[in-house]
Amino acid sequence: MNTTEISRPTNGNAVRYLAPPVEIFETEQALVLTADMPGVGPNGATVEVHDDILLLEGAVERTHGKAPKHFRRRFTLTDPALFDLEQITAKMSNGVVEVAIPKATKPEPRQIKITAT
Amino acid sequence: MLYALTETNPLEKFWDLRGDFERLFSEAFPFQGPENGRKAFVPALELEEDDDGLTLHVETPGVEPDKLNVSVNGHVLTVEGERTPPADDKAKLQRSERSFGKFSRSLHLPDHYDSEAIAASHEYGILTLRVPKKASAKPRAIKIESK
């Protein structure tokens, strides 16, 4: 089970997707999402971002002729302007995917010089 | 910034509904767990049997292998461990569906399994245990001798 690939279903109705349980929390720097996808390795997981949509997928190839297991869940960022979507990171460890969406850095407050006319 | 991540898939409504049922059910039959207010983590098990033995898959996502303990006492096989939450106390929790804490699951192995020869492996959050049948319990063909 070293290389697991997302196998695209030829018949969309044939695949049953499992919604992985998630934990979402906010730290000072980022919004962090963790999801349980046991059996999914780094090669079997995908995290996609389209505008304000975050799509999480994972596939587990299984032995003994059993159908592969598919995980899938989709989220919407309600206020994408608050985040730096270019800097999203994802890592996988022991079957848990962790996605960090860093908060956008606010520009420092500055004084505007008033010039006399 | 509450609910900065919300679900969009209309199919997910089904899961929400399922959650409602589960809540209803758990309110009617509260689980007397060791955790306070929070659902205890119970790893899912999958068992496969073949001619040579038993394969047991224990789903323990997020648990480091060194936090897992497998033991055999007589005929009882026990898997124990602890799942620690990723968020620290300072983080603001927005949604919590995963559960954490100490867990323990035990299985009684029938006599014809060789509890001395259990092999364990761990990959991507799944602990796999292989329990072979005792040689005497394996199916064998009896040769018919012709006179």
Side-chain angles (χ1 to χ4, degrees):
Chain A
M1 221 175 17
N2 281 332
T3 52
T4 43
E5 283 175 18
I6 298 269
S7 52
R8 286 290 159 200
T10 45
N11 173 0
N13 297 325
V15 173
R16 204 176 126 249
Y17 287 104
L18 298 168
V22 296
E23 181 110 338
I24 301 170
F25 56 92
E26 187 190 332
T27 66
E28 252 174 65
Q29 299 85 26
L31 189 66
V32 183
L33 179 148
T34 58
D36 285 340
M37 300 200 287
V40 178
N43 296 324
T46 53
V47 177
E48 284 175 23
V49 181
H50 297 289
D51 301 323
D52 58 346
I53 303 280
L54 182 87
L55 179 69
L56 205 65
E57 280 189 310
V60 189
E61 296 296 338
R62 299 203 294 174
T63 51
H64 297 102
K66 280 194 280 180
K69 209 179 200 176
H70 291 268
F71 293 99
R72 186 191 169 103
R73 212 161 164 184
R74 195 159 70 159
F75 297 90
T76 305
L77 274 166
T78 48
D79 203 346
L82 291 173
F83 300 96
D84 187 352
L85 302 182
E86 300 295 312
Q87 302 296 323
I88 294 178
T89 57
K91 58 185 176 184
M92 192 97 215
S93 163
N94 294 314
V96 175
V97 65
E98 181 175 317
V99 182
I101 309 163
K103 292 179 185 175
T105 45
K106 287 185 198 121
E108 291 293 311
R110 60 193 178 100
Q111 289 262 306
I112 311 292
K113 204 179 166 194
I114 300 166
T115 47
T117 51
Chain B
M1 201 183 13
L2 206 64
Y3 302 123
L5 263 183
T6 54
E7 255 170 312
T8 34
N9 192 337
L11 280 173
E12 300 288 348
K13 289 262 165 38
F14 169 74
W15 292 99
D16 288 348
L17 195 68
R18 197 191 68 155
D20 287 341
F21 279 125
E22 278 175 1
R23 264 193 299 281
L24 208 65
F25 188 81
S26 59
E27 275 167 24
F29 308 98
F31 174 67
Q32 304 293 325
E35 306 286 304
N36 298 324
R38 197 160 176 168
K39 204 168 63 177
F41 174 67
V42 181
L45 295 183
E46 216 172 273
L47 271 171
E48 288 166 16
E49 196 187 13
D50 54 54
D51 287 347
D52 298 324
L54 200 68
T55 305
L56 175 65
H57 301 283
V58 189
E59 293 187 354
T60 54
V63 182
E64 293 290 339
D66 62 2
K67 287 270 174 81
L68 278 170
N69 191 34
V70 182
S71 59
V72 181
N73 188 355
H75 285 304
V76 180
L77 170 69
T78 302
V79 177
E80 290 170 295
E82 183 168 7
R83 199 157 95 125
T84 42
D88 59 22
D89 295 340
K90 279 180 271 175
K92 281 180 260 175
L93 211 55
Q94 292 199 0
R95 185 185 279 243
S96 175
E97 300 165 350
R98 303 174 63 211
S99 30
F100 304 95
K102 287 190 173 134
F103 59 85
S104 172
R105 286 204 79 166
S106 294
L107 271 186
H108 186 272
L109 296 171
D111 249 350
H112 58 280
Y113 285 101
D114 189 357
S115 56
E116 303 288 313
I118 298 175
S121 61
H122 184 270
E123 190 177 50
Y124 305 146
I126 297 181
L127 171 72
T128 301
L129 300 171
R130 177 72 189 166
V131 192
K133 272 183 190 165
K134 285 178 182 163
S136 57
K138 285 181 191 170
R140 60 196 171 97
I142 311 292
K143 202 180 166 195
I144 301 165
E145 289 188 38
S146 56
K147 288 180 181 172

